[in-house]
Amino acid sequence: MRFGVALALSGLTLAAQTPAVSSPTSNSIGMEFIRIEPGTMQVGMFHPDCENGGGGRGRGGPPADPRMIWDDADRAACEAQTKAERSDGFPVAIKKAYLIGKTEVTQGQWKAVMRTNPSLFQADRVPNPDNHPVESVTWQDTQAFVKALNAKERTRAYRLPTEFEWEYACRAGGLGQQTWTEIRAQAVLGLGLAGRGGGGRGAVSTAPGSEPLPPETPAQYTARTGMTNEVGSKTANAWGVHDMLGNVWEWVADPYNGKIFPDPTPPKSGSVHVLKGGGFASDVKNAICATHGFGPGDPFAVGFRIVKDLP
Amino acid sequence: MRSYSVVLALCLAAGSASIDIPAGFTRIFDGKTTRGWHFSGTVHHGTTGIATVTKDGTLQLVQQPFGQGGLFITDKTYKNFELYLEVKVPFATNSGIFLRSTEGGSAYQIELVQGGATGALIGELLRLSQGIPAPDLTNIWKTDEFNAIQVRMEGDAPHVTIWINGVKTGEVQEPRNDQIGGVVGGHIGLQLHWLDTYEPRNVSGGGMSNAMKPGHPLEFRNIAIKELP
């Protein structure tokens, strides 16, 4: 059951920051950055309810069995649990302006720095791979890239964003969670196929089976089964940043804390790191700024963007 | 079909405390711990579900927090195999068996919805060439009891056969491999479907009805596999 429910905010005091839009700056490898101004956001808001439970309709199945419908005890149990788990989260202050990549790091940018390309979706599979996000990178790989870029430009300004910096730039001053309509306008989802970026789940096809089919080229196979899209192919968010949601999951600096949301003070160490934003094979449900995923993820859908500290 | 009689015999015992698995299969859930399994960190169903093992060797999966489930997958990956397991799915709960799943949950899926489309083969975050429609399980499915599911999956363009309580309920020869990137193989996964979003009132899509009934865990036992060449 799906609901079209009007935006209803809970009365929380949330500062909707709207930095002045500035022209993107670029660096030695043509990477563009958006300046993000200081401000605050609310992290970890969790407001589940029981309105969606026990309606009795299955997805695509036979007519509902009456035993699917919740009784009073089921609803009471849900109400008690969700009341206990409800949280308004905590405020996070971003105290210093920073530059964040306008898009995910591309294969072309990766090659310009590292002289290699670990990505799956290269020229045999997609027509313009240099504009696709680099993927199949581990968190350690991102550190090597940052180190090499800093060395190339004789600076120490480049690094992965913290989770809070990433989420702040993703939310772009928005209150709470975006609607699925907004997300689909901004995110490469639905397996990333041309014209199908709206978050389709890849359900059963009506294509005939059993008959032998002619061989496919890697490009034909990829177009049929899913791929990243070129960066910047969807609408930017309110602060002009592209692909924060969808296309590839993005590594951030923080180790994973083992919880559904980050803690106000992130862990200082840990071998598993946080992934944000969802990828082309994700569902719209978790392609949201708040999603606090963790590695390894699917290599073909894991990339990153970087920030640059201001002097 | 060669395992039909074995499975049928097992199923006659299902509902009682069945502790056996088909001959030639190896347990991939030891009945005591969750060793060899983990929750996906990127699937949309959730990443913080709870997996516990009861004293009688049953794996129980529960959403935590409510509305957020997960995908409980094997550490190991499999290509060609026969999988056997027994599952108890409460009414108003949505689950599935993921086959050749990626870490993030792109997979062939056998749907498990008691009173719904149990036994259908669908694609989860995977564009399936040819599915298997939901079978008529009248006189096959045992309501609110453990039911035995067996599936054989073999070939790059996989041939998939499904038995429920010893009865063949579906079979398909896929015309092509449908896995992202041309991979063949992946994890076995047990789906604990999401029900709600973090801030439901802000989301035009709403939630997923019948994904989890409060206080009624999903239960699996006797999970075993036979790898094929």
Side-chain angles (χ1 to χ4, degrees):
Chain A
M1 179 180 293
R2 298 186 182 280
F3 288 87
V5 183
L7 182 73
L9 291 172
S10 61
L12 288 167
T13 303
L14 299 175
Q17 303 295 323
T18 310
V21 175
S22 55
S23 300
T25 59
S26 62
N27 67 3
S28 65
I29 54 171
M31 190 180 280
E32 289 189 305
F33 292 87
I34 300 287
R35 180 182 169 111
I36 304 296
E37 300 295 341
T40 61
M41 65 175 169
Q42 197 76 7
V43 170
M45 243 191 316
F46 188 67
H47 296 156
D49 64 30
C50 299
E51 292 181 14
N52 297 322
R57 284 200 290 270
R59 178 184 272 165
D65 186 306
R67 288 168 291 188
M68 284 182 171
I69 298 171
W70 289 7
D71 59 22
D72 290 345
D74 296 324
R75 197 158 296 281
C78 179
E79 301 278 356
Q81 185 171 351
T82 54
K83 183 179 178 185
E85 292 167 342
R86 181 183 173 88
S87 171
D88 289 339
F90 53 90
V92 170
I94 301 294
K95 296 177 179 172
K96 192 168 179 289
Y98 56 99
L99 300 176
I100 193 162
K102 184 179 177 181
T103 71
E104 295 151 338
V105 174
T106 65
Q107 293 182 35
Q109 292 161 353
W110 177 278
K111 287 192 294 184
V113 175
M114 306 299 283
R115 307 295 173 197
T116 60
N117 187 359
S119 305
L120 172 66
F121 299 109
Q122 297 197 31
D124 60 334
R125 296 177 185 271
V126 297
N128 199 6
D130 279 357
N131 285 347
H132 282 242
V134 67
E135 21 82 12
S136 304
V137 289
T138 65
W139 187 88
Q140 287 72 21
D141 292 335
T142 69
Q143 300 306 293
F145 176 87
V146 164
K147 184 178 179 182
L149 181 57
N150 278 329
K152 184 177 188 314
E153 295 196 6
R154 299 176 187 277
T155 178
R156 290 190 296 180
Y158 295 110
R159 58 182 172 80
L160 280 187
T162 66
E163 181 171 11
F164 291 152
E165 287 171 334
W166 188 99
E167 188 165 329
Y168 181 66
C170 180
R171 289 180 178 273
L175 301 174
Q177 192 173 309
Q178 293 167 287
T179 67
W180 286 6
T181 302
E182 292 167 337
I183 293 169
R184 285 171 171 142
Q186 294 180 11
V188 174
L189 296 170
L191 303 178
L193 303 179
R196 287 175 170 265
R201 302 180 68 254
V204 174
S205 160
T206 55
S210 302
E211 295 298 322
L213 296 171
E216 295 170 292
T217 65
Q220 289 169 330
Y221 183 96
T222 299
R224 178 172 63 82
T225 55
M227 59 187 170
T228 58
N229 284 16
E230 292 188 40
V231 298
S233 64
K234 305 284 281 193
T235 304
N237 73 11
W239 290 352
V241 190
H242 285 272
D243 302 306
M244 295 299 289
L245 305 176
N247 217 7
V248 288
W249 287 87
E250 299 182 18
W251 290 115
V252 292
D254 306 45
Y256 178 58
N257 64 351
K259 302 175 184 175
I260 187 172
F261 294 117
D263 292 308
T265 303
K268 287 188 168 52
S269 63
S271 58
V272 177
H273 289 83
V274 172
L275 286 167
K276 299 289 280 184
F280 71 90
S282 295
D283 188 279
V284 67
K285 187 262 181 183
N286 69 334
I288 59 174
C289 302
T291 294
H292 178 65
F294 58 93
D298 291 328
F300 55 67
V302 173
F304 68 112
R305 78 179 65 220
I306 59 174
V307 297
K308 184 177 185 182
D309 286 322
L310 290 162
Chain B
M1 290 299 291
R2 59 186 162 165
S3 57
Y4 176 84
S5 57
V6 175
V7 175
L8 181 60
L10 283 168
C11 292
L12 292 174
S16 60
S18 173
I19 55 169
D20 212 348
I21 58 174
F25 282 58
T26 302
R27 289 184 187 276
I28 53 174
F29 161 56
D30 66 16
K32 297 171 185 168
T33 70
T34 57
R35 221 175 352 251
W37 296 75
H38 65 277
F39 276 108
S40 165
T42 50
V43 76
H44 60 288
H45 297 294
T47 56
T48 52
I50 295 177
T52 55
V53 183
T54 65
K55 286 182 180 176
D56 68 355
T58 298
L59 174 68
Q60 294 188 332
L61 301 180
V62 179
Q63 292 183 342
Q64 183 68 31
F66 190 79
Q68 308 303 313
L71 180 63
F72 200 53
I73 59 177
T74 55
D75 297 342
K76 187 178 172 183
T77 58
Y78 302 91
K79 182 178 177 183
N80 299 316
F81 57 85
E82 283 189 49
L83 173 73
Y84 174 87
L85 59 78
E86 294 163 14
V87 59
K88 188 191 278 187
V89 192
F91 279 112
T93 295
N94 186 310
S95 182
I97 302 167
F98 281 31
L99 309 170
R100 294 186 178 178
S101 178
T102 67
E103 181 75 27
S106 169
Y108 298 85
Q109 181 189 181
I110 300 173
E111 182 83 333
L112 292 176
V113 178
Q114 183 164 265
T118 296
L121 182 72
I122 60 176
E124 172 89 356
L125 304 174
L126 175 145
R127 188 156 285 117
L128 191 64
S129 291
Q130 182 68 38
I132 296 176
D136 180 1
L137 296 181
T138 306
N139 300 323
I140 297 174
W141 188 259
K142 291 174 291 187
T143 300
D144 287 340
E145 295 183 29
F146 276 100
N147 288 270
I149 312 285
Q150 185 160 341
V151 56
R152 180 185 177 96
M153 186 168 203
E154 193 172 26
D156 288 10
H159 188 110
V160 181
T161 310
I162 302 169
W163 295 265
I164 298 179
N165 290 334
V167 179
K168 187 166 84 174
T169 57
E171 184 172 15
V172 67
Q173 172 61 59
E174 295 293 343
R176 284 172 166 151
N177 179 21
D178 293 326
Q179 291 190 259
I180 296 168
V183 171
V184 177
H187 306 271
I188 304 295
L190 307 175
Q191 182 197 43
L192 183 60
H193 205 290
W194 68 276
L195 184 143
D196 222 342
T197 49
Y198 294 176
E199 300 167 54
R201 294 178 189 283
N202 288 3
V203 177
S204 55
M208 174 71 188
S209 181
N210 294 318
M212 188 79 197
K213 194 169 190 179
H216 294 75
L218 264 172
E219 296 184 298
F220 295 88
R221 68 184 184 190
N222 296 330
I223 309 172
I225 205 161
K226 180 164 73 174
E227 293 191 73
L228 304 173

mmCIF file of all heavy atoms in Angstrom, chain B residues 7 13 28-29 32 38 43 52 58 74 90 99 104 140 157 159 161 165 186 189 197 219-220 229:
data_model
loop_
_atom_site.group_PDB
_atom_site.id
_atom_site.type_symbol
_atom_site.label_atom_id
_atom_site.label_comp_id
_atom_site.label_asym_id
_atom_site.label_seq_id
_atom_site.Cartn_x
_atom_site.Cartn_y
_atom_site.Cartn_z
ATOM 1 N N VAL B 7 12.812 -35.260 -0.738
ATOM 2 C CA VAL B 7 12.173 -34.069 -0.191
ATOM 3 C C VAL B 7 10.770 -34.384 0.303
ATOM 4 O O VAL B 7 10.349 -33.938 1.363
ATOM 5 C CB VAL B 7 12.138 -32.947 -1.247
ATOM 6 C CG1 VAL B 7 11.357 -31.762 -0.719
ATOM 7 C CG2 VAL B 7 13.553 -32.540 -1.603
ATOM 8 N N ALA B 13 7.463 -34.960 7.360
ATOM 9 C CA ALA B 13 7.843 -34.709 8.746
ATOM 10 C C ALA B 13 7.829 -33.229 9.091
ATOM 11 O O ALA B 13 7.894 -32.866 10.249
ATOM 12 C CB ALA B 13 9.232 -35.282 9.017
ATOM 13 N N ILE B 28 24.466 -25.003 5.533
ATOM 14 C CA ILE B 28 25.137 -23.697 5.489
ATOM 15 C C ILE B 28 24.631 -22.797 6.621
ATOM 16 O O ILE B 28 25.037 -21.657 6.729
ATOM 17 C CB ILE B 28 24.963 -23.002 4.115
ATOM 18 C CG1 ILE B 28 23.491 -22.903 3.711
ATOM 19 C CG2 ILE B 28 25.769 -23.733 3.056
ATOM 20 C CD1 ILE B 28 23.271 -22.097 2.438
ATOM 21 N N PHE B 29 23.747 -23.320 7.435
ATOM 22 C CA PHE B 29 23.350 -22.695 8.700
ATOM 23 C C PHE B 29 23.492 -23.798 9.739
ATOM 24 O O PHE B 29 22.856 -24.857 9.618
ATOM 25 C CB PHE B 29 21.910 -22.182 8.604
ATOM 26 C CG PHE B 29 21.243 -21.935 9.935
ATOM 27 C CD1 PHE B 29 21.815 -21.079 10.869
ATOM 28 C CD2 PHE B 29 20.044 -22.558 10.258
ATOM 29 C CE1 PHE B 29 21.211 -20.866 12.095
ATOM 30 C CE2 PHE B 29 19.426 -22.346 11.472
ATOM 31 C CZ PHE B 29 20.014 -21.499 12.387
ATOM 32 N N LYS B 32 23.114 -23.325 15.330
ATOM 33 C CA LYS B 32 23.541 -22.846 16.657
ATOM 34 C C LYS B 32 23.993 -21.387 16.636
ATOM 35 O O LYS B 32 23.800 -20.653 17.596
ATOM 36 C CB LYS B 32 24.699 -23.704 17.177
ATOM 37 C CG LYS B 32 24.314 -25.159 17.391
ATOM 38 C CD LYS B 32 25.548 -25.997 17.695
ATOM 39 C CE LYS B 32 25.157 -27.470 17.792
ATOM 40 N NZ LYS B 32 26.337 -28.349 17.796
ATOM 41 N N HIS B 38 25.828 -12.833 7.054
ATOM 42 C CA HIS B 38 25.904 -11.443 7.507
ATOM 43 C C HIS B 38 24.776 -10.639 6.863
ATOM 44 O O HIS B 38 24.193 -11.065 5.857
ATOM 45 C CB HIS B 38 27.261 -10.827 7.152
ATOM 46 C CG HIS B 38 27.508 -10.689 5.674
ATOM 47 N ND1 HIS B 38 27.980 -11.717 4.880
ATOM 48 C CD2 HIS B 38 27.357 -9.640 4.835
ATOM 49 C CE1 HIS B 38 28.106 -11.301 3.629
ATOM 50 N NE2 HIS B 38 27.717 -10.041 3.567
ATOM 51 N N VAL B 43 21.558 -2.770 1.226
ATOM 52 C CA VAL B 43 20.248 -3.085 0.650
ATOM 53 C C VAL B 43 19.175 -2.160 1.228
ATOM 54 O O VAL B 43 19.267 -1.719 2.377
ATOM 55 C CB VAL B 43 19.895 -4.566 0.908
ATOM 56 C CG1 VAL B 43 19.468 -4.788 2.354
ATOM 57 C CG2 VAL B 43 18.803 -5.037 -0.056
ATOM 58 N N THR B 52 18.655 -14.159 15.183
ATOM 59 C CA THR B 52 18.965 -14.950 16.377
ATOM 60 C C THR B 52 18.682 -16.418 16.087
ATOM 61 O O THR B 52 17.930 -16.755 15.164
ATOM 62 C CB THR B 52 18.118 -14.497 17.582
ATOM 63 O OG1 THR B 52 16.733 -14.556 17.213
ATOM 64 C CG2 THR B 52 18.465 -13.085 17.999
ATOM 65 N N THR B 58 16.407 -22.978 15.132
ATOM 66 C CA THR B 58 15.693 -22.158 14.143
ATOM 67 C C THR B 58 16.318 -20.762 14.074
ATOM 68 O O THR B 58 16.606 -20.148 15.102
ATOM 69 C CB THR B 58 14.210 -22.031 14.539
ATOM 70 O OG1 THR B 58 13.625 -23.335 14.529
ATOM 71 C CG2 THR B 58 13.462 -21.140 13.558
ATOM 72 N N THR B 74 24.711 -15.247 2.764
ATOM 73 C CA THR B 74 25.881 -16.082 3.042
ATOM 74 C C THR B 74 27.145 -15.285 2.757
ATOM 75 O O THR B 74 27.186 -14.443 1.854
ATOM 76 C CB THR B 74 25.874 -17.332 2.153
ATOM 77 O OG1 THR B 74 25.786 -16.936 0.770
ATOM 78 C CG2 THR B 74 24.711 -18.249 2.497
ATOM 79 N N PRO B 90 4.933 -15.885 8.663
ATOM 80 C CA PRO B 90 3.639 -15.468 9.218
ATOM 81 C C PRO B 90 2.813 -14.713 8.171
ATOM 82 O O PRO B 90 3.363 -14.130 7.237
ATOM 83 C CB PRO B 90 4.026 -14.522 10.359
ATOM 84 C CG PRO B 90 5.479 -14.755 10.603
ATOM 85 C CD PRO B 90 6.061 -15.226 9.307
ATOM 86 N N LEU B 99 18.754 -15.669 -4.822
ATOM 87 C CA LEU B 99 19.675 -16.603 -5.474
ATOM 88 C C LEU B 99 20.636 -15.799 -6.342
ATOM 89 O O LEU B 99 20.223 -14.863 -7.033
ATOM 90 C CB LEU B 99 18.896 -17.591 -6.347
ATOM 91 C CG LEU B 99 17.714 -18.297 -5.656
ATOM 92 C CD1 LEU B 99 16.878 -19.054 -6.687
ATOM 93 C CD2 LEU B 99 18.220 -19.256 -4.582
ATOM 94 N N GLY B 104 24.616 -6.163 -2.455
ATOM 95 C CA GLY B 104 23.582 -5.148 -2.301
ATOM 96 C C GLY B 104 22.175 -5.633 -2.589
ATOM 97 O O GLY B 104 21.225 -4.849 -2.514
ATOM 98 N N ILE B 140 -0.803 -27.885 -1.127
ATOM 99 C CA ILE B 140 0.664 -28.013 -1.067
ATOM 100 C C ILE B 140 1.210 -27.253 0.142
ATOM 101 O O ILE B 140 1.984 -27.783 0.926
ATOM 102 C CB ILE B 140 1.310 -27.478 -2.368
ATOM 103 C CG1 ILE B 140 0.854 -28.305 -3.569
ATOM 104 C CG2 ILE B 140 2.836 -27.495 -2.255
ATOM 105 C CD1 ILE B 140 1.326 -27.755 -4.904
ATOM 106 N N ALA B 157 23.101 -19.108 -18.354
ATOM 107 C CA ALA B 157 21.703 -18.699 -18.503
ATOM 108 C C ALA B 157 20.934 -19.731 -17.685
ATOM 109 O O ALA B 157 20.729 -20.855 -18.127
ATOM 110 C CB ALA B 157 21.278 -18.726 -19.953
ATOM 111 N N HIS B 159 18.934 -22.465 -15.585
ATOM 112 C CA HIS B 159 17.729 -23.287 -15.556
ATOM 113 C C HIS B 159 17.326 -23.369 -14.086
ATOM 114 O O HIS B 159 18.114 -23.805 -13.255
ATOM 115 C CB HIS B 159 18.016 -24.678 -16.124
ATOM 116 C CG HIS B 159 16.794 -25.512 -16.310
ATOM 117 N ND1 HIS B 159 16.290 -25.839 -17.548
ATOM 118 C CD2 HIS B 159 15.941 -26.056 -15.413
ATOM 119 C CE1 HIS B 159 15.200 -26.569 -17.410
ATOM 120 N NE2 HIS B 159 14.956 -26.714 -16.118
ATOM 121 N N THR B 161 14.544 -24.637 -11.203
ATOM 122 C CA THR B 161 13.412 -25.503 -10.868
ATOM 123 C C THR B 161 13.111 -25.346 -9.384
ATOM 124 O O THR B 161 14.022 -25.323 -8.554
ATOM 125 C CB THR B 161 13.743 -26.981 -11.163
ATOM 126 O OG1 THR B 161 14.273 -27.087 -12.479
ATOM 127 C CG2 THR B 161 12.490 -27.848 -11.042
ATOM 128 N N ASN B 165 7.399 -28.283 -0.675
ATOM 129 C CA ASN B 165 6.945 -29.491 0.018
ATOM 130 C C ASN B 165 6.952 -30.694 -0.916
ATOM 131 O O ASN B 165 6.023 -31.523 -0.928
ATOM 132 C CB ASN B 165 5.559 -29.270 0.634
ATOM 133 C CG ASN B 165 5.619 -28.303 1.801
ATOM 134 O OD1 ASN B 165 6.658 -28.164 2.458
ATOM 135 N ND2 ASN B 165 4.529 -27.607 2.070
ATOM 136 N N GLY B 186 26.575 -15.886 -6.989
ATOM 137 C CA GLY B 186 26.408 -14.891 -5.937
ATOM 138 C C GLY B 186 26.010 -15.550 -4.628
ATOM 139 O O GLY B 186 26.089 -16.767 -4.467
ATOM 140 N N GLY B 189 20.525 -15.500 -0.136
ATOM 141 C CA GLY B 189 20.042 -14.467 0.782
ATOM 142 C C GLY B 189 18.639 -14.750 1.284
ATOM 143 O O GLY B 189 17.821 -15.349 0.577
ATOM 144 N N THR B 197 9.323 3.854 5.656
ATOM 145 C CA THR B 197 10.460 4.755 5.449
ATOM 146 C C THR B 197 10.774 5.479 6.757
ATOM 147 O O THR B 197 10.011 5.414 7.710
ATOM 148 C CB THR B 197 10.132 5.756 4.338
ATOM 149 O OG1 THR B 197 8.859 6.324 4.598
ATOM 150 C CG2 THR B 197 10.102 5.061 2.998
ATOM 151 N N GLU B 219 11.020 -17.328 10.209
ATOM 152 C CA GLU B 219 11.807 -18.440 10.744
ATOM 153 C C GLU B 219 12.304 -19.348 9.625
ATOM 154 O O GLU B 219 11.543 -19.709 8.717
ATOM 155 C CB GLU B 219 10.970 -19.238 11.734
ATOM 156 C CG GLU B 219 10.587 -18.425 12.972
ATOM 157 C CD GLU B 219 9.838 -19.244 14.009
ATOM 158 O OE1 GLU B 219 8.732 -19.729 13.678
ATOM 159 O OE2 GLU B 219 10.359 -19.408 15.115
ATOM 160 N N PHE B 220 13.566 -19.712 9.715
ATOM 161 C CA PHE B 220 14.191 -20.636 8.760
ATOM 162 C C PHE B 220 14.928 -21.723 9.538
ATOM 163 O O PHE B 220 15.440 -21.472 10.634
ATOM 164 C CB PHE B 220 15.206 -19.894 7.878
ATOM 165 C CG PHE B 220 14.614 -18.856 6.982
ATOM 166 C CD1 PHE B 220 14.448 -17.555 7.431
ATOM 167 C CD2 PHE B 220 14.219 -19.166 5.685
ATOM 168 C CE1 PHE B 220 13.905 -16.574 6.595
ATOM 169 C CE2 PHE B 220 13.677 -18.204 4.853
ATOM 170 C CZ PHE B 220 13.524 -16.901 5.311
ATOM 171 N N PRO B 229 28.539 -29.003 -10.422
ATOM 172 C CA PRO B 229 29.693 -28.610 -11.264
ATOM 173 C C PRO B 229 29.382 -27.400 -12.133
ATOM 174 O O PRO B 229 28.232 -27.201 -12.510
ATOM 175 C CB PRO B 229 29.940 -29.841 -12.134
ATOM 176 C CG PRO B 229 29.206 -30.958 -11.491
ATOM 177 C CD PRO B 229 28.092 -30.371 -10.696
#
